[in-house]
């Protein structure tokens, strides 16, 4: 099967009116051609499609968009949506159910969300001409994830997700995993994330796409599995940013075209030109891909570890403050909740482990 695997889609204050008007030409430019002649066009929908106004308690923005977003995706050619991410539950049960209803009204398949944890683990299987492709969408533990007795996104579990992938490979020809996690704005995986992705590969994944980071990361072929550590957004167009790094990250992304028969994958660079996106060309495309290839080479040595370390150091003040402000007499509920959030989510604890090395890392036996 021919598959088109894309990153995060989220209408913004700038683009939501265009989604509501269904102005596909302005929003998607020449990227519309990428959707032609594919069997699977998969995106990650990183927001609720709802008019519900009551958002959940969380750190970071609560994201929602108009119902017509589903119609736009359908007209674009999207036939599958991953819903396992940290924003699908931003407007609670009502927002999540509105989203599913909107997608199903357009005949768009979805995966990565369920009535409870066990229900969320249902895979999406697409069959054509006797070939079966399984899509597994998981996310890190950041607000939206399902509980034993509450609906939510399918969380990554270092034991059960690996089992799920291995069992899927026993039954289906190809297994594609979208992993919504990793540290935002970091172009390198953490050591834990790299180990997790490689474990997924060893247990049967043919493709592992790490999303959520909002930036292009790096790629490796490991045990015949294509692992992309950071795909960038597909359509998440903004013009206001808190710093230049985030602005640069949001500008570019990669589309993955994967042929399940040959096992070949190709990456196509995209560039955001507010309020829309286009296929990157010329010098811009060359610059995007040259930087990407350079980081790919760094994965073959220890250079990527330095890139990860440097990023963590740049975040030092934020994480020191989170720890310093919690669990003391002066702590507010806000302080303690922020600490709990950082403790709960794998991407945040990855940074902690890099910043706070144990003595075991330097101990030597004489």
């Amino acid at each position: 099967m021919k598959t088109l695997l894309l990153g995060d889609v989220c209408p913004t204050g700038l683009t939501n009116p265009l989604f509501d008007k269904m102005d596909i030409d302005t929003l998607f430019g020449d990227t519309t051609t990428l959707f032609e002649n594919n069997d699977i066009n998969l995106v990650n929908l990183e927001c609720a499609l709802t008019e519900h106004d009551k958002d959940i308690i969380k750190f970071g923005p609560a994201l929602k968009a108009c119902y017509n977003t589903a119609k736009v995706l359908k007209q674009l050619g999207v036939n599958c949506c991953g819903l396992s991410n940290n924003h699908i539950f931003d407007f609670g049960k009502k927002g999540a159910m509105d989203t599913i209803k909107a997608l199903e009204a357009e005949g768009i398949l979805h995966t990565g969300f369920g009535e409870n944890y066990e229900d969320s683990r249902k895979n999406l299987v697409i069959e054509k001409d006797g070939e079966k492709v399984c899509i597994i969408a998981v996310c890190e533990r950041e607000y939206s994830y399902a509980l034993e007795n509450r609906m939510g996104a399918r969380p990554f579990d270092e034991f059960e997700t690996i089992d799920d992938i291995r069992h899927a490979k026993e039954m289906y020809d190809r297994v594609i995993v979208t992993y919504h996690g990793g540290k935002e704005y970091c172009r390198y995986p953490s050591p834990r994330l790299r180990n997790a992705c490689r474990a997924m590969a060893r247990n049967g994944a043919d493709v592992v796409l790490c999303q959520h980071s909002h930036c292009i990361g790096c790629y490796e072929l490991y045990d015949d599995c294509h692992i992309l550590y950071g795909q960038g957004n597909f359509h998440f167009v903004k013009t206001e940013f808190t710093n230049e790094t985030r602005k640069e990250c949001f500008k570019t992304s990669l589309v993955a075209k994967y042929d399940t028969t040959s096992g070949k994958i190709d990456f196509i660079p995209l560039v955001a030109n507010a309020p829309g996106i286009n296929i990157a060309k010329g010098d811009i495309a060359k610059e995007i891909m040259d930087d990407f290839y350079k980081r790919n080479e760094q994965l073959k040595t220890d250079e990527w570890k330095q890139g990860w370390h440097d990023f963590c150091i740049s975040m030092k003040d934020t994480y020191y403050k989170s720890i310093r402000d919690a669990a003391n007499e002066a702590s507010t509920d806000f302080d303690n909740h922020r600490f709990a959030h950082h403790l709960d989510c794998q991407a945040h604890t990855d940074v902690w482990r890099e910043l706070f090395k144990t003595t075991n890392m330097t101990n030597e036996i004489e």
Side-chain angles (χ1 to χ4, degrees), residues 151-208:
M151 66 170 56
R154 181 180 187 171
F156 173 78
D157 183 275
E158 60 184 339
F159 304 110
E160 293 186 313
T161 300
I162 299 301
D163 286 342
D164 292 343
I165 292 170
R166 184 173 64 255
H167 293 154
K169 189 60 176 178
E170 292 171 354
M171 295 184 289
Y172 309 117
D173 299 291
R174 296 289 187 182
V175 178
I176 297 171
V177 180
T178 61
Y179 179 98
H180 199 82
K183 195 67 187 77
E184 289 179 304
Y185 312 111
C186 184
R187 297 188 184 274
Y188 300 91
S190 68
R192 178 205 59 84
L193 179 56
R194 194 181 192 197
N195 287 339
C197 290
R198 285 184 159 198
M200 288 187 268
R202 289 193 299 271
N203 282 274
D206 296 287
V207 177
V208 178

Side-chain angles (χ1 to χ4, degrees), residues 314-339:
S314 74
M315 301 292 294
K316 180 178 178 179
D317 290 346
T318 297
Y319 286 89
Y320 272 48
K321 178 175 174 55
S322 172
I323 295 171
R324 183 176 60 245
D325 290 352
N328 60 67
E329 292 181 357
S331 299
T332 65
D333 286 343
F334 176 91
D335 296 329
N336 290 328
H337 286 316
R338 180 173 56 190
F339 175 84

Side-chain angles (χ1 to χ4, degrees), residues 118-142:
E118 286 302 324
D119 189 52
S120 76
R121 292 170 69 189
K122 292 178 180 177
N123 302 327
L124 175 61
V125 179
I126 298 175
E127 183 175 1
K128 180 183 178 182
D129 298 331
E131 182 184 16
K132 296 180 180 180
V133 174
C134 176
I135 299 172
I136 296 176
V138 294
C139 65
E140 291 183 346
R141 295 178 179 268
E142 192 170 6

Side-chain angles (χ1 to χ4, degrees), residues 9-24 26-28 45-53 62-73 91 235-239 274-276:
V9 172
C10 181
T12 63
L14 174 68
T15 63
N16 192 54
L18 295 172
F19 275 88
D20 203 23
K21 294 177 182 177
M22 300 182 62
D23 188 350
I24 290 177
T26 301
L27 288 169
F28 293 96
L45 181 61
E46 183 144 29
C47 64
L49 305 183
T50 185
E51 295 179 353
H52 189 52
D53 289 328
L63 304 179
K64 68 175 182 176
C66 62
Y67 290 122
N68 275 353
T69 299
K71 294 181 182 295
V72 168
L73 294 177
F91 289 83
H235 203 294
F236 200 148
V237 180
K238 301 168 59 176
T239 55

Side-chain angles (χ1 to χ4, degrees), residues 30-81:
D30 60 2
T31 67
T32 57
T33 60
L34 299 174
F35 290 81
E36 299 171 359
N37 303 315
N38 301 319
D39 301 295
I40 298 173
N41 290 318
L42 172 70
V43 302
N44 171 63
L45 181 61
E46 183 144 29
C47 64
L49 305 183
T50 185
E51 295 179 353
H52 189 52
D53 289 328
K54 187 171 177 56
D55 54 331
I56 64 173
I57 299 171
K58 64 179 296 185
F59 290 96
L63 304 179
K64 68 175 182 176
C66 62
Y67 290 122
N68 275 353
T69 299
K71 294 181 182 295
V72 168
L73 294 177
K74 177 67 174 181
Q75 191 167 330
L76 191 62
V78 171
N79 54 10
C80 306
C81 273

Side-chain angles (χ1 to χ4, degrees), residues 102-289:
L103 294 174
E104 291 181 347
E106 299 304 319
I108 298 176
L109 301 173
H110 55 85
T111 188
F113 193 91
E115 291 291 332
N116 51 50
Y117 172 63
E118 286 302 324
D119 189 52
S120 76
R121 292 170 69 189
K122 292 178 180 177
N123 302 327
L124 175 61
V125 179
I126 298 175
E127 183 175 1
K128 180 183 178 182
D129 298 331
E131 182 184 16
K132 296 180 180 180
V133 174
C134 176
I135 299 172
I136 296 176
V138 294
C139 65
E140 291 183 346
R141 295 178 179 268
E142 192 170 6
Y143 296 115
S144 287
Y145 64 92
L147 304 175
E148 289 183 5
N149 58 355
R150 195 207 67 201
M151 66 170 56
R154 181 180 187 171
F156 173 78
D157 183 275
E158 60 184 339
F159 304 110
E160 293 186 313
T161 300
I162 299 301
D163 286 342
D164 292 343
I165 292 170
R166 184 173 64 255
H167 293 154
K169 189 60 176 178
E170 292 171 354
M171 295 184 289
Y172 309 117
D173 299 291
R174 296 289 187 182
V175 178
I176 297 171
V177 180
T178 61
Y179 179 98
H180 199 82
K183 195 67 187 77
E184 289 179 304
Y185 312 111
C186 184
R187 297 188 184 274
Y188 300 91
S190 68
R192 178 205 59 84
L193 179 56
R194 194 181 192 197
N195 287 339
C197 290
R198 285 184 159 198
M200 288 187 268
R202 289 193 299 271
N203 282 274
D206 296 287
V207 177
V208 178
L209 297 179
C210 297
Q211 300 169 338
H212 177 67
S213 65
H214 303 302
C215 64
I216 300 173
C218 39
Y219 159 87
E220 67 177 335
L221 180 65
Y222 174 80
D223 203 23
D224 291 327
C225 175
H226 303 285
I227 306 176
L228 180 59
Y229 302 101
Q231 185 173 10
N233 305 316
F234 173 51
H235 203 294
F236 200 148
V237 180
K238 301 168 59 176
T239 55
E240 297 181 2
F241 297 90
T242 56
N243 60 55
E244 197 63 27
T245 297
R246 296 187 177 191
K247 182 178 180 180
E248 287 300 313
C249 286
F250 266 72
K251 278 185 178 180
T252 61
S253 65
L254 295 177
V255 167
K257 290 184 71 72
Y258 175 61
D259 188 318
T260 63
T261 302
S262 67
K264 181 182 178 183
I265 199 166
D266 292 303
F267 297 110
I268 301 169
L270 306 183
V271 61
N273 298 303
I277 60 173
N278 284 286
I279 299 172
K281 300 179 181 67
D283 291 342
I284 295 176
K286 184 178 185 304
E287 180 180 355
I288 294 170
M289 297 308 291

